[in-house]
Every structure is written in structure tokens, then in C-alpha cells.
Amino acid sequence: MADSPTESYDICIIGAGPTGLFAAFYAGLRQMSVKILDSLETPGGQLATLYPEKYIYDAPGFSRILARDLVANLLEQANQYRPAYALGERVRHLHQRAGQFEIETDRSAHHAKSILIAAGIGSFLPRRLSLADVETYENAGLHYFVRRINDFQGRRVLIVGGGDSAVDWANTLEPVARSVTLIHRTDKFRAHESAVAKLLAGSARVLTFHELSSLAGRPALSAATLYDNRSKCHQTIEVDAVLVNIGFQSTLGPIAGWNLELDRSQIKVDHTMQTTRPGIFAAGDVCTYPGKLKLIATGFGEACTAVNHARQFTDPTARVFPGHSSEKQ
């Protein structure tokens, strides 16, 4: 549906990642008019921009599904109710007048009776290597994202990191690459146990207590020097590609100034997913409460809770729980 900046919507969803897209579907199911804002030019959030060809294993209903395919399914589901999209817009200021919210972006202003913040980890950038001349390799073998798996076909790949992304990419690229070496500065992985078990049982070379010391090669990357932080020894290996997964730097940006109660970079919510400002809700990785788990499945459930309470906020005569969707057939 085309964007209409002057129209007021029942709910404006900030963030077009998986939680935001599912919230748009559910709000449509509850007969709410919906607008979705996102700073990216395309919907899908991290799934679409960071790892479109990575398999997702914890999405309900799928034993595994490519991130880009999950996004496509969520879009198909949400678009049944024709939400309005305002993509490529960065939120700036929030105003509230006469029972309406006005969200000012770098391009326009949008109006809604309620707001759901589903901004994931907020604006994010990968943590970059702090090595000499590292910038010269960023378009010549050094990667922070995987855009296309085929870019690594038959390549000697070095992966730096010990979290979910590093371990998952090592498992994904193992059957594609000529060889995969993963280095991690400790022997404690911050990844799902089953993914780590698969990594250790596969053909990838895993070097714990190792760090990346330097890169070499002209004009393209061809070698990497590794540092053993226990023995203090160095070794140089031949590589065609280095994939760095050492985390992201995220920020809420201007949303942090919207007079919401925060816990570091997350928004505190109550059991209805409402923030400390009535009519403003949050769901997904952006929000926090006691016992919070950062999972896609959790975000889907939080989206339903937030939308149902937003529905009653915008129309006090509406029921919070509408019944089961199967009862509508």
C-alpha cells in the first residue's frame, strides 16, 4: 500500500524486521490500519541485510528456513491487510497532540493513535578490526556480512569470532568453501550448543585461543597471521577471504530521547508490552523485562500481546483477546 503521510493510522510500527512484519499481520487481523516505518530501503531487518542466505532454525513451523525466505513469507502474510510502508526513513522526533502521535522522520511526518517499537537492536554497525591497513582489504577479501554464499565457493575462508553468527557461518560455508578455519580468542563459544557440536564434528579447522594479528596480500587478500594468546606464537595461513563476526555496535538513536524508561539500550515494558508512555508499546529484541529471551519466536508472541493491548488503547470498547483465528473461519 502506498504511503500517505497525512493519514492517521491505528498503529505505526517502527521496524520492518520479523517482529514488526508479524505485528503488521496481526494488527491487520484485528482490523487495525497499519503503517510500517524503517530506516532501511527494504523490509526484513537483519534477516534481509546481514544474513539473507543463512538458515534460521528456531522459527516456528520450519525445521530450517533461509532468512530471505522467512522474510518473504512474513511479507506475504502481512501484505494480506495492505499496510502502508515508509521505508528508507530515519525516525527523529516524537510529538503527542490531542490523542495522536506524530513521528517526525528525516523525510516526513507520520500520524498514529498508537506506536509499536520493533526496532530490533536499533541502528547497528559491525565491530570492525583494528589492524593496520585493514581498510584496504574491505573490498578485496575482507567481509563483515555474507551477501551471497557463492562468493565463497571454492575459497579458503578464515572466520573470526565465537558467537552464533561465526559458528553458523562456519557450518554453512563448510560444504561450499575449499576450506574453513575458525579462530576464537577463548575456548568458550557464545553460540547454540547444537551449532557448536556440529562445528566441532565437521571438517572446519577450529583454533581456540587464537586471534587475528595481521592481513597481507596485494592487490587482494591472500594471507592472515594468527596469534596464539597462550603460547605467544604466530603462524601465517593462506586465505582468500576473511569473514569477521565479532559483534555489532547498536544504538536506539533518537528513540532514546523519547522519554521512555531504558535499561541500557533496551526499552522497559510491562506485561502488556507497553512502555512507560501510554500508547507506546515495544516488542522483539528492542524491549526488556524480567526473564526476557531474545528469540524470533519470543518476538512473535510479544507482537501479539502488544497489538492486542494497542487495539484496546485505540478503542476502549474492543476486547484485548479477540479469540482464536481458527474461530473466524
Side-chain angles (χ1 to χ4, degrees), residues 115-129:
I115 294 172
L116 172 57
I117 303 172
I121 60 174
S123 300
F124 54 89
L125 292 171
R127 295 187 185 277
R128 284 177 150 72
L129 295 173

Side-chain angles (χ1 to χ4, degrees), residues 32 45 131 148 157 207 223 245 310 325:
M32 300 177 76
L131 302 177
R148 296 174 298 275
V157 181
L207 299 176
N245 292 140
S325 62

Side-chain angles (χ1 to χ4, degrees), residues 41 65 111 133 147 162 168 208 238 291 295 318:
E41 297 289 346
I65 183 170
H111 303 86
D133 299 325
R147 303 297 187 189
D168 287 347
T208 55
E238 294 181 337
L295 297 170

Side-chain angles (χ1 to χ4, degrees), residues 135-211:
E135 296 85 1
T136 62
Y137 295 107
E138 290 191 358
N139 293 310
L142 176 61
H143 305 263
Y144 292 96
F145 306 118
V146 175
R147 303 297 187 189
R148 296 174 298 275
I149 288 179
N150 286 342
D151 290 345
F152 298 86
Q153 181 78 43
R155 313 282 279 177
R156 296 166 297 185
V157 181
L158 171 65
I159 298 177
V160 182
D164 281 310
S165 292
V167 172
D168 287 347
W169 279 123
N171 289 329
T172 299
L173 296 177
E174 180 190 357
V176 175
R178 175 179 169 185
S179 65
V180 172
T181 299
L182 181 142
I183 62 171
H184 184 38
R185 61 184 177 178
T186 76
D187 62 349
K188 307 297 183 185
F189 291 94
R190 305 178 312 280
H192 198 283
E193 295 93 332
S194 63
V196 174
K198 181 179 179 181
L199 171 69
L200 298 177
S203 65
R205 183 187 183 197
V206 179
L207 299 176
T208 55
F209 299 103
H210 278 70
E211 301 174 38

Side-chain angles (χ1 to χ4, degrees), residues 27-285:
L29 192 68
R30 291 231 57 187
Q31 301 298 296
M32 300 177 76
S33 56
V34 179
K35 173 174 279 187
I36 305 173
L37 297 179
D38 201 289
S39 61
L40 300 174
E41 297 289 346
T42 57
Q46 293 184 63
L47 297 187
T49 59
L50 298 188
Y51 38 79
E53 297 199 52
K54 177 180 173 182
Y55 279 106
I56 305 298
Y57 294 94
D58 56 356
F62 302 98
S63 58
R64 69 174 190 172
I65 183 170
L66 284 174
R68 58 177 166 79
D69 292 338
L70 181 57
V71 169
N73 289 352
L74 287 165
L75 278 169
E76 181 181 1
Q77 187 180 41
N79 288 344
Q80 297 177 87
Y81 296 101
R82 298 177 60 80
Y85 289 90
L87 302 176
E89 297 194 28
R90 297 182 180 275
V91 297
R92 291 288 186 258
H93 306 291
L94 177 66
H95 311 284
Q96 190 171 5
R97 305 184 185 92
Q100 292 278 325
F101 293 102
E102 180 183 87
I103 302 169
E104 183 182 334
T105 73
D106 57 352
R107 293 187 183 181
S108 186
H110 307 274
H111 303 86
K113 299 175 184 176
S114 65
I115 294 172
L116 172 57
I117 303 172
I121 60 174
S123 300
F124 54 89
L125 292 171
R127 295 187 185 277
R128 284 177 150 72
L129 295 173
S130 56
L131 302 177
D133 299 325
V134 68
E135 296 85 1
T136 62
Y137 295 107
E138 290 191 358
N139 293 310
L142 176 61
H143 305 263
Y144 292 96
F145 306 118
V146 175
R147 303 297 187 189
R148 296 174 298 275
I149 288 179
N150 286 342
D151 290 345
F152 298 86
Q153 181 78 43
R155 313 282 279 177
R156 296 166 297 185
V157 181
L158 171 65
I159 298 177
V160 182
D164 281 310
S165 292
V167 172
D168 287 347
W169 279 123
N171 289 329
T172 299
L173 296 177
E174 180 190 357
V176 175
R178 175 179 169 185
S179 65
V180 172
T181 299
L182 181 142
I183 62 171
H184 184 38
R185 61 184 177 178
T186 76
D187 62 349
K188 307 297 183 185
F189 291 94
R190 305 178 312 280
H192 198 283
E193 295 93 332
S194 63
V196 174
K198 181 179 179 181
L199 171 69
L200 298 177
S203 65
R205 183 187 183 197
V206 179
L207 299 176
T208 55
F209 299 103
H210 278 70
E211 301 174 38
L212 182 58
S213 176
S214 64
L215 301 173
R218 290 291 185 273
L221 179 63
S222 62
T225 299
L226 311 181
Y227 169 68
D228 186 326
N229 58 35
R230 295 170 303 177
S231 69
K232 313 305 180 185
C233 295
H234 291 80
Q235 64 169 305
T236 299
I237 63 173
E238 294 181 337
V239 297
D240 302 302
V242 172
L243 174 60
V244 179
N245 292 140
I246 54 176
F248 294 90
Q249 297 172 310
S250 62
T251 175
L252 286 174
I255 294 176
W258 285 8
N259 198 28
L260 306 172
E261 186 175 357
L262 305 178
D263 181 357
R264 289 177 291 184
S265 61
Q266 292 180 284
I267 300 169
K268 287 188 174 183
V269 295
D270 62 17
H271 67 284
T272 70
M273 309 310 297
Q274 187 167 233
T275 69
T276 49
R277 289 188 65 173
I280 302 180
F281 301 81
D285 288 353

Side-chain angles (χ1 to χ4, degrees), residues 1-21:
M1 178 176 172
D3 173 39
S4 176
T6 58
E7 182 178 349
S8 180
Y9 292 80
D10 292 325
I11 189 167
C12 181
I13 299 171
I14 300 175
T19 297
L21 292 176

